[in-house]
Amino acid sequence: MHVVSLAPGADLSGFRAAARRLIAAEIPPENVVWQTEAPSLFGAETAPVDGPPLRLPRAVTELIPMVVPHRDPERYGLLYALLWRVLHGERAMMEVLSDPLVHRLHRMRKAIGRDLHKMHAFLRFRRMPGEGPERFVAWFEPDHHILEAAAPFFVDRFRALTWSILTPEGSAHWDGALRFGPSGRREDVPEGDGFEAGWRDYYESTFNPARLNLDAMRAEMPRKYWRNMPETAAIPALVRAASARAQAMIEKEPTMPAKRDPVRAVAKMAKDEPDSLDALNAIIARSEPLVPGATQAVLGEGPVGARIVFVGEQPGDQEDRQGRPFVGPAGQLLSRALEEAGIDRREAYLTNAVKHFKFTLRGKRRIHEKPTAGEVSHYRWWLEKELDFVAPKLVVALGATAVLSLTGKSIPITRARGPADFARPFAGFITVHPSYLLRLPDEAKEAAYQVFVEDLRRANALAA
């Protein structure tokens, strides 16, 4: 009998390592005892040799991390039984929903999904009092061991804040880096803060008495979470007044919507539209980034009337800090290539399809993250107005994101490289982004760089 001891809670890495060792040693599920906290009657774990990674169907690899956080003490044994059967001839067993093991694991996965949804929806941060740096704390009691699985959601949503989430089993802390620690107490979280009155007012203003359904409310918002949610203090009064408010809505005479004068509306739109590049840049500069985290909008740089405009993807780390386009490593490479191609950077106009830096934080480093098609579309109007004001003879798209912004299509750069028709008043040219050259192996960089310089020479000749 082989005894496997795992850490309390959701020990995903421990389970994976143990499963590889057991599979490599050909130990069947009935000969394995999985334990977390309680000591085993079978003594210490035997130590099979380390095993290689397991080749599993995608449905199995996606299921495992969604079952490991379950509170059922049999979860590890059930998962190992699944792995054993899949690796011993039943590769498609996840498709057999009538199989008792598959059915039970699917129900466990659904339970974890519901618990994650409740934590995302019902957790409320409160500001910690004191004179030091602003810090927020929340208390939550999950049904399962989901803290580590849920924490990245709050990192993405509250990246700019310093916060802690306390639970009876552990805690998560964010101050630019995510850390996990020991359990906390409800008493460590303030009973309220100054923000909650405004939040209750908002909740009351959006409450629709005509759609009141107490059974659905209790099912979607269980009472165990009410103590942590400031808006729930208003629910009893809202429920008592719902019938009278709904009747008053029915009896109130309907009012016709006010008619808008289309001529005046169009005139106002024309008046509000920027009439110069400076006015457009002022709008961009005061706009919030679509993806939070950027320090500032990075505006285009160069003279109005420039013969050539270079459009990149988005600002990088250095561009975001300095507020200027193409000043990081890729920008320095572009400046050198422009000089070799006979193009004076000071006489060209340089900008980006997306005006804010999108990144993923790894420790203290901000790692560039490619913008989505929706984000490119969000910024497209700004780029189009920018090009209208600059009025170049030629626009050079540096990379696939710039091409997507200028054409609305995803076009492979290797296939479209060279002169292009952007269906605009200016000529077009497509080439790679200089950051692509930085990512190449050393032995391939010089040849690719010379091809890039030749592209710039061809673009310069086309603009002339």
Side-chain angles (χ1 to χ4, degrees), residues 50-341:
D50 288 339
L54 306 179
R55 299 184 62 183
L56 299 169
R58 182 175 178 179
V60 176
T61 60
E62 291 177 349
L63 175 74
I64 291 172
M66 287 298 290
V67 172
V68 165
H70 203 280
R71 197 171 289 277
D72 191 329
E74 297 182 11
R75 62 192 183 279
Y76 294 120
L78 296 172
L79 287 171
Y80 185 64
L82 173 71
L83 297 182
W84 181 266
R85 290 176 58 183
V86 167
L87 294 170
H88 286 77
E90 298 183 63
R91 299 287 295 181
M93 71 171 295
M94 287 298 295
E95 300 175 12
V96 186
L97 299 181
S98 60
D99 184 286
L101 176 59
V102 174
H103 177 70
R104 185 172 176 183
L105 289 172
H106 272 302
R107 293 189 61 177
M108 294 169 74
R109 175 169 65 178
K110 288 181 179 179
I112 296 300
R114 287 193 297 270
D115 209 24
L116 286 169
H117 168 73
K118 290 173 183 175
M119 188 167 183
H120 295 163
F122 302 144
L123 183 141
R124 297 290 183 268
F125 285 106
R126 292 182 168 119
R127 187 181 186 279
M128 288 293 288
E131 300 297 327
E134 191 174 49
R135 179 169 170 263
F136 295 84
V137 182
W139 170 260
F140 195 78
E141 300 175 50
D143 294 332
H144 301 281
H145 311 293
I146 63 168
L147 179 61
E148 292 191 20
F153 170 87
F154 297 100
V155 170
D156 290 341
R157 176 158 290 190
F158 304 109
R159 188 181 296 274
L161 304 180
T162 298
W163 50 257
S164 297
I165 298 174
L166 309 182
T167 77
E169 295 183 350
S171 56
H173 309 274
W174 171 258
D175 56 1
L178 183 60
R179 296 173 288 104
F180 295 95
S183 61
R185 303 177 305 160
R186 185 193 294 271
E187 294 75 21
D188 297 331
V189 179
E191 286 297 321
D193 61 17
F195 179 76
E196 293 190 353
W199 179 249
R200 283 196 300 270
D201 290 343
Y202 171 77
Y203 183 80
E204 291 173 4
S205 69
T206 59
F207 183 84
N208 186 346
R211 301 188 66 181
L212 177 65
N213 185 324
L214 293 177
D215 291 336
M217 182 181 293
R218 280 188 285 264
E220 293 297 324
M221 190 190 298
R223 276 191 172 272
K224 66 175 286 187
Y225 303 110
W226 283 28
R227 181 174 175 183
N228 306 321
M229 301 169 63
E231 64 268 34
T232 56
I235 289 179
L238 291 172
V239 170
R240 287 194 299 269
S243 179
R245 288 181 61 195
Q247 187 61 36
M249 291 168 60
I250 294 172
E251 295 174 354
K252 186 177 180 181
E253 287 189 18
T255 57
M256 296 297 293
K259 292 184 178 180
R260 294 186 64 192
D261 184 345
V263 176
R264 293 178 60 187
V266 171
K268 185 177 186 305
M269 289 172 61
K271 181 180 178 182
D272 291 343
E273 191 166 299
D275 56 2
S276 68
L277 183 59
D278 288 341
L280 175 67
N281 283 339
I283 294 174
I284 298 173
R286 64 174 177 260
S287 297
E288 292 292 325
L290 184 60
V291 178
T295 305
Q296 59 188 314
V298 178
L299 308 175
E301 185 175 271
V304 172
R307 285 189 310 118
I308 304 180
V309 169
F310 293 92
V311 179
E313 180 190 81
Q314 69 168 358
D317 179 73
Q318 288 302 313
E319 287 81 2
D320 178 68
R321 297 181 190 278
Q322 299 183 38
R324 296 183 57 208
F326 292 96
V327 293
Q332 295 168 19
L333 183 65
L334 175 62
S335 295
R336 180 159 66 91
L338 289 174
E339 184 177 357
E340 292 187 28

Side-chain angles (χ1 to χ4, degrees), residues 384 387-388 391-395 406 420-428:
E384 291 175 348
L387 296 178
D388 287 344
K393 292 184 177 180
L394 176 74
V395 171
L406 290 163
D421 181 9
F422 294 153
R424 305 289 178 85
F426 45 76

